[in-house]
Amino acid sequence: MSGNGIVIVGAGHGGSQLATSLRQEGFDGPITLVSDETDVPYHKPPLSKAFLKTPDMAPQLLRAESTYTDNAITLRFGARVSAIDLQARRLELDDGAPLPFDRLVLATGARARRLAIPGHDLTGIFTLRTADDARALRAAIPAAQSVAVIGGGFVGLEAAASLAGLGKQVTVIEAADRILGRVLAPAMSAYMAGLHQSLGVKLLTGTGVARLDGANGRVTHVTTTDGTHVAADMVIVGIGANPDIGLATQAGLACDNGIVVDGALRTSVPEIFAIGDCVAYAHWQTGSHLRLESVQNATDQARHAARVLAGKPEIAGYREVPWFWSDQGPAKLQMVGLAIGTTRQVISGTPANGAFSIYHFRDDRLQAIDSINRPADHMLGRRMLAANFHPDDALIAAGPAALKAAFAEFSKGQPEAR
Ligand code: FAD
């Protein structure tokens, strides 16, 4: 490496973790962390939860600002990278002087999808991805009475629960026939639907949004594709996020719903790596390329890339068990593993009591566990999946204590399970 060191584009969960992990792994060259946001890197999950409900809450920092300076990490905040000059090995920045690099890591995350229908540009329509988005949304909450949330995915439903908790009239409009249909089994979707209804949230499923209507430039209601009018002086668009691959495609890196990386998190150009929401990687369980949007994925990939970039010898390809959580009203939903391609489910606990887990199997192999208010099941599940432990139905039916004991027995003599 020459003296330009490692430049990281994006200072979200992945970029911030990578910068500090590089030092922990012993990398002693220059590290520059570039972000187009002006905030010191912060936790995104609270933005749709506590942050919305707490008027004076500041974004929760991922790590103290002094951590970066103490670790000789150069910060370039409020600076957008506009292009990668591969030949010259440097970045073009919107705010002036180009930035040379020896190795580059793209940690650019994802951007909230926007609606492209009549009325999309009215005042009162929000997306939720960054602290600035959340500040703008929060500032508008006191004046809003009725809120339409477009999209029944995680971010939309978290915001819906938060706003219902503030006494707003909330309607969620979901085009599919059930909320969280892409990511949850029908039994879990049904539980979450009941939970939202108990919070006073109205759910409209199986209908899209035709247009947004307004008066004097402000949104007043949403018209659905089946002709229903939903009163809304605030609209939250929660229709997912697209990977931020603009820089990568401009530089000619291979992309396929995300920047394609190998097991070392290296892109199709050897000196460029990518991590987090912007990445598509071949998952060991599915064999196909997959893009995950979660704090775990961004931070674990950052730790892995740090080991590779610091030159740690002979590490295996990235192979972490994915996990995720979502807090919606009183429900803590936790997911571990990948339920894609599973063929049957076993339920432990009682949904009616608000605490249960669904174990997803492909034939006899446990692939994923989704839990509501059963954090111990989730934590044990992480260890079981990492250790390749496959309980049978009778063991799950015997309850958490028996499962834990059987796993402890299995683990004796095994290489240490995480
Ligand atoms: P990000 O954190 O998005 O960071 C990418 C950064 O790169 C951004 O700051 C972006 O502005 C910057 N950037 C992009 N392009 C450029 C450029 N050209 N120049 C300079 N900077 C650039 N996950 C969970 O596991 N649990 C949750 O409960 C949960 N809740 C969430 C709630 C909300 C409201 C949101 C938005 C996300 C939530 N997530 C949750 C998802 C999680 O936050 C993301 O998976 C995670 O932030 C991904 O980290 P990342 O580093 O890949 O991307």
Side-chain angles (χ1 to χ4, degrees):
M1 241 190 245
S2 71
N4 295 322
I6 297 172
V7 176
I8 305 164
V9 184
H13 285 269
S16 169
Q17 179 68 51
L18 175 62
T20 46
S21 289
L22 278 168
R23 289 291 182 239
Q24 282 154 9
E25 295 294 344
F27 178 76
D28 60 2
I31 301 173
T32 308
L33 187 54
V34 189
S35 171
D36 57 2
E37 296 189 64
T38 48
D39 285 288
V40 176
Y42 56 87
H43 288 270
K44 283 202 163 67
L47 297 181
S48 46
K49 309 170 184 103
F51 189 87
L52 286 187
K53 293 190 281 187
T54 321
D56 53 357
M57 185 177 167
Q60 204 181 318
L61 299 188
L62 287 168
R63 30 190 70 78
E65 192 168 5
S66 57
T67 307
Y68 304 99
T69 35
D70 291 350
N71 283 287
I73 295 161
T74 304
L75 303 176
R76 292 282 298 267
F77 291 166
R80 180 160 181 78
V81 176
S82 54
I84 303 169
D85 183 340
L86 260 187
Q87 272 207 318
R89 284 204 185 181
R90 64 179 196 195
L91 301 176
E92 308 295 339
L93 272 78
D94 275 355
D95 72 349
L99 186 59
F101 62 85
D102 297 322
R103 299 278 177 80
L104 174 65
V105 183
L106 298 174
T108 47
R111 304 259 160 196
R113 274 189 209 122
R114 289 167 194 280
L115 285 174
I117 54 171
H120 68 91
D121 50 357
L122 290 164
T123 304
I125 299 169
F126 299 87
T127 51
L128 183 48
R129 178 77 200 177
T130 64
D132 279 345
D133 293 343
R135 287 185 188 102
L137 177 55
R138 187 173 66 180
I141 289 174
Q145 294 306 318
S146 47
V147 182
V149 175
I150 300 176
F154 287 119
V155 171
L157 289 171
E158 288 173 357
S162 301
L163 289 161
L166 292 172
K168 310 297 174 188
Q169 274 189 314
V170 183
T171 306
V172 174
I173 304 166
E174 165 57 51
D177 60 359
R178 59 187 173 96
I179 58 169
L180 295 165
R182 272 189 322 118
V183 282
L184 293 183
M188 191 61 93
S189 284
Y191 176 81
M192 295 306 291
L195 177 112
H196 278 275
Q197 280 152 351
S198 75
L199 298 174
V201 174
K202 193 170 170 191
L203 299 178
L204 298 182
T205 53
T207 186
V209 174
R211 60 173 199 276
L212 304 166
D213 301 293
N216 304 320
R218 287 200 64 85
V219 69
T220 54
H221 60 275
V222 177
T223 301
T224 65
T225 46
D226 65 8
T228 307
H229 284 200
V230 177
D233 43 26
M234 169 183 275
V235 172
I236 301 175
V237 179
I239 55 172
N242 292 323
D244 200 329
I245 58 172
L247 288 176
T249 46
Q250 166 268 326
L253 308 188
C255 291
D256 179 10
N257 181 36
I259 306 169
V260 174
V261 293
D262 64 13
L265 285 330
R266 192 181 274 110
T267 70
S268 54
V269 171
E271 63 267 39
I272 305 183
F273 291 68
I275 56 171
D277 281 14
C278 63
V279 152
Y281 72 103
H283 192 270
W284 47 275
Q285 188 177 314
T286 62
S288 53
H289 276 83
L290 197 71
R291 193 175 68 78
L292 298 175
E293 292 178 10
S294 73
V295 168
Q296 172 275 326
N297 182 64
T299 49
D300 279 346
Q301 289 192 341
R303 291 189 187 101
H304 188 88
R307 288 193 291 270
V308 176
L309 285 159
K312 289 286 155 82
E314 287 301 310
I315 55 168
Y318 178 76
R319 198 190 156 99
E320 297 295 330
V321 175
W323 54 266
F324 182 78
W325 80 96
S326 174
D327 296 334
Q328 298 177 35
K332 184 165 197 70
L333 168 64
Q334 292 172 292
M335 306 164 74
V336 56
L338 288 178
I340 302 166
T342 51
T343 48
R344 64 189 185 86
Q345 282 80 35
V346 178
I347 297 186
S348 169
T350 316
N353 297 343
F356 66 105
S357 294
I358 300 182
Y359 292 76
H360 298 262
F361 287 86
R362 182 176 195 142
D363 304 321
D364 290 335
R365 296 180 70 80
L366 179 66
Q367 304 278 355
I369 305 164
D370 301 337
S371 306
I372 292 285
N373 297 330
R374 298 243 294 206
D377 287 3
H378 174 78
M379 294 310 292
L380 181 62
R382 280 202 220 170
R383 297 172 57 217
M384 292 194 308
L385 288 170
N388 245 325
F389 176 69
H390 301 285
D392 60 19
D393 296 17
L395 188 51
I396 292 171
L403 187 54
K404 192 175 172 192
F407 179 63
E409 193 57 36
F410 167 86
S411 300
K412 283 182 194 160
Q414 298 276 326
E416 195 174 330
R418 281 173 308 191

